[in-house]
């Protein structure tokens, strides 16, 4: 039996994909696999028996990736599963920025006991007047799963869309509307767009990407939308620009002391993926990734190990080996199998940075002694029998 644990509430629709071979445990240290959403794992000890972690979402800042890699624990995420939910919130953010919807709602609440509210509304509504988004220029930084959905939806809303992504995938390019202008220099977006939304991963290289210098290039009527990660934007520079009238509004999904309560900042409490559909989609995808890894050894959508797929095992046995990406590692584990008289039928080995992963199909089952011999090879992190 494979034991799984949930470190956060995980959609039942996802968990129902587990077969009878899987049993849930509330004891994290006993689990073979773990599912997580936002639980902070950096202060949690990683059990030696833990094989994999499935993040039901895209961001993995709450998971100690390097420590997982050192112990041979594969970490998965679910890119694109919550993309539509985030896309819809971005569109809502643009509409809220264009029309002072929030201000109008708050005014109505303040006047709720006024019997003359209908008449007063006709006088006061001009203070909440805004603009339409049709015909405006939208700049999108990052054309991945979310960015491309935002781009295509904005085209249908009549916006003039400009996209910047020097690393755009072939799949994303095919899915992108032909009406999106592909920009080679991100400063063109900073200088010319009325709305700017960012959809890139939170990396050291992207931290503070929308910087003070970038903001200074923008028009004073520009609206910045951040529904990706707060660290992507220099929010101190944003607040300063808003106070000086250098920006129109800042729409963000990340509540923190820097932006909450600042005039012309609209903050939502990390609602991007908080839809029933997104939570279901992420859970289903995470469970299927974990099951394919446990049952077949395949890795899809890992954030710390290479993707590696050999389908289902048709041989007598299959081994999965996580090891350091060093010279002669294949020779060493192949030698351990050969010395025991085990023939390799098929194998694949993929690397990602310092780490590598091998799937090895053999013509006869591997004995416990063979497994111990492979585990004894320096720089082998984890070995397990799939079949």
């Amino acid at each position: 039996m494979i034991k799984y644990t949930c470190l956060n509430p995980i959609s039942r629709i996802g968990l129902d994909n587990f077969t009878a071979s899987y049993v849930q445990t509330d004891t994290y240290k006993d689990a073979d696999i773990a599912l997580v959403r936002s639980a902070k794992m950096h202060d949690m000890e990683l059990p030696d028996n833990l094989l994999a972690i499935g993040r039901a979402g895209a961001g993995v800042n709450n998971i100690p990736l390097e420590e997982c890699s050192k112990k041979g624990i594969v970490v998965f995420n679910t890119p694109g599963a919550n993309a539509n939910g985030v896309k819809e919130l971005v569109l809502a953010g643009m509409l809220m920025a264009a029309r002072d919807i929030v201000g109008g709602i708050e005014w109505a609440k303040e006047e709720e006991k006024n019997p003359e509210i209908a008449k007063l509304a006709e006088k006061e509504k001009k203070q909440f007047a805004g603009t339409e988004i049709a015909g405006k220029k939208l700049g999108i930084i990052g054309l991945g799963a979310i960015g491309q959905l935002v781009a295509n939806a904005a085209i249908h809303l009549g916006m003039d869309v400009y996209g910047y992504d020097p690393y755009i995938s072939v799949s994303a390019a095919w899915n992108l509307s032909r009406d999106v202008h592909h920009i080679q220099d991100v400063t063109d977006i900073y200088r010319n767009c009325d709305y700017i939304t960012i959809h890139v991963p939170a990396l050291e290289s992207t931290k503070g990407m929308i910087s003070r210098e970038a903001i200074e290039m923008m028009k004073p009527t520009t609206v910045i939308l951040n529904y990706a990660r707060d660290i992507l934007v220099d929010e101190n520079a944003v607040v300063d620009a808003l106070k000086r009238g250098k920006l129109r509004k800042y729409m963000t999904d990340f509540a923190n002391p820097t932006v909450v309560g600042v005039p012309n900042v609209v903050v939502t409490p990390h609602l991007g993926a908080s839809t029933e559909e997104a939570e279901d989609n992420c859970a289903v995808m995470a469970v299927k990734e974990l099951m394919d890894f446990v049952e077949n050894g395949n890795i899809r959508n890992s954030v710390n190990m290479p993707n590696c797929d050999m389908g289902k095992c048709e041989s007598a046995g299959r081994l999965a080996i996580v090891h350091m990406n060093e010279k002669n590692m294949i020779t060493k584990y192949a030698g351990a199998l050969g010395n025991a008289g085990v023939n390799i039928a098929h194998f694949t080995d993929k690397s990602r940075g310092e780490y590598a992963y091998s799937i090895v199909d053999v013509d006869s089952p591997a004995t416990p002694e063979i497994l111990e011999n492979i585990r004894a090879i320096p720089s082998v992190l984890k070995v397990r029998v799939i079949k």
Side-chain angles (χ1 to χ4, degrees):
M1 298 293 286
I2 299 296
K3 295 180 180 179
Y4 73 89
T5 192
C6 300
L7 302 180
N8 295 106
I10 301 295
S11 166
R12 192 75 245 170
I13 290 177
L15 298 181
D16 284 345
N17 284 272
F18 281 126
T19 64
S21 299
Y22 298 79
V23 59
Q24 187 169 2
T25 176
D26 294 330
T27 308
Y28 166 62
K29 65 182 179 62
D30 293 335
D32 300 298
I33 54 179
L35 287 131
V36 62
R37 291 179 62 202
S38 58
K40 298 185 183 302
M41 298 187 66
H42 287 277
D43 297 327
M44 300 173 67
E45 185 177 350
L46 295 169
D48 290 336
N49 50 286
L50 191 64
L51 300 174
I53 298 169
R55 162 71 167 98
V60 290
N61 293 350
N62 57 317
I63 302 172
L65 297 182
E66 185 57 31
E67 288 75 9
C68 288
S69 298
K70 289 177 180 177
K71 299 195 74 168
I73 299 169
V74 182
V75 181
F76 297 88
N77 71 344
T78 57
N82 60 11
N84 190 70
V86 179
K87 174 208 77 176
E88 291 186 358
L89 191 61
V90 172
L91 297 178
M94 281 196 290
L95 292 168
M96 286 190 292
R99 313 278 290 273
D100 190 6
I101 298 169
V102 174
I105 292 171
E106 292 303 316
W107 177 89
K109 286 181 179 179
E110 293 171 3
E111 300 293 336
E112 64 178 331
K113 296 181 180 179
N114 187 340
E116 299 296 320
I117 187 171
K119 186 182 295 184
L120 185 60
E122 292 303 314
K123 294 181 179 179
E124 298 295 329
K125 67 180 182 181
K126 59 180 177 294
Q127 67 176 304
F128 308 113
T131 60
E132 297 179 7
I133 62 173
K136 302 299 187 298
K137 292 181 179 180
L138 170 64
I140 302 174
I141 301 172
L143 294 168
I146 298 170
Q148 63 179 280
L149 290 180
V150 172
N152 292 344
I155 288 290
H156 289 297
L157 291 171
M159 301 188 79
D160 193 12
V161 180
Y162 298 79
Y164 171 79
D165 191 335
Y167 308 108
I168 186 171
S169 68
V170 173
S171 175
W174 274 109
N175 291 329
L176 203 61
S177 168
R178 62 186 297 178
D179 294 321
V180 175
H181 308 287
H182 194 189
I183 299 301
Q184 302 297 323
D185 186 347
V186 70
T187 62
D188 290 338
I189 285 178
Y190 296 149
R191 297 179 191 280
N192 300 311
C193 289
D194 304 295
Y195 295 85
I196 298 174
T197 182
I198 187 166
H199 300 285
V200 299
L203 307 172
E204 195 60 37
S205 59
T206 58
K207 185 177 180 180
M209 184 176 182
I210 297 187
S211 61
R212 188 175 297 273
E213 292 75 19
I215 292 169
E216 289 305 310
M217 298 180 200
M218 299 176 191
K219 300 183 291 186
T221 54
T222 299
V223 173
I224 297 175
L225 302 107
N226 183 8
Y227 293 90
R229 284 290 180 270
D230 53 355
I231 66 169
L232 301 174
V233 177
D234 183 343
E235 293 188 326
N236 287 311
V238 166
V239 171
D240 176 64
L242 288 168
K243 289 178 179 177
R244 294 186 288 114
K246 185 67 182 75
L247 285 177
R248 182 178 172 186
K249 283 187 179 176
Y250 180 53
M251 315 297 291
T252 178
D253 202 24
F254 306 99
N256 61 63
T258 302
V259 295
V260 170
V262 175
N264 293 315
V265 175
V266 177
V267 183
T268 46
H270 206 181
L271 300 179
S274 294
T275 67
E276 292 181 11
E277 295 85 353
E279 291 179 11
D280 291 347
N281 292 340
C282 288
V284 169
M285 188 172 178
V287 167
K288 288 184 176 180
E289 289 169 349
L290 289 170
M291 290 178 67
D292 193 21
F293 175 68
V294 169
E295 297 170 16
N296 302 306
N298 298 324
I299 295 178
R300 293 177 294 117
N301 296 322
S302 173
V303 295
N304 68 330
M305 292 291 168
N307 286 338
C308 192
D309 191 338
M310 286 220 343
K312 292 186 177 181
C313 180
E314 304 294 339
S315 301
R318 172 173 287 185
L319 301 178
I321 306 171
V322 183
H323 59 88
M324 301 301 295
N325 184 22
E326 298 175 358
K327 294 179 180 178
N328 299 320
M329 289 302 299
I330 297 174
T331 302
K332 291 176 182 177
Y333 69 67
L337 291 168
N339 291 338
V342 176
N343 182 58
I344 295 176
H346 307 282
F347 89 97
T348 185
D349 182 84
K350 301 290 184 181
S351 62
R352 179 173 181 169
E354 298 179 74
Y355 300 94
Y357 181 71
S358 299
I359 300 176
V360 186
D361 286 356
V362 292
D363 286 338
S364 56
T367 65
E369 182 181 0
I370 293 173
L371 293 179
E372 286 306 312
N373 289 337
I374 295 176
R375 288 192 183 100
I377 298 171
S379 299
V380 167
L381 304 175
K382 241 184 184 66
V383 183
R384 67 187 178 99
V385 175
I386 305 298
K387 175 183 175 183

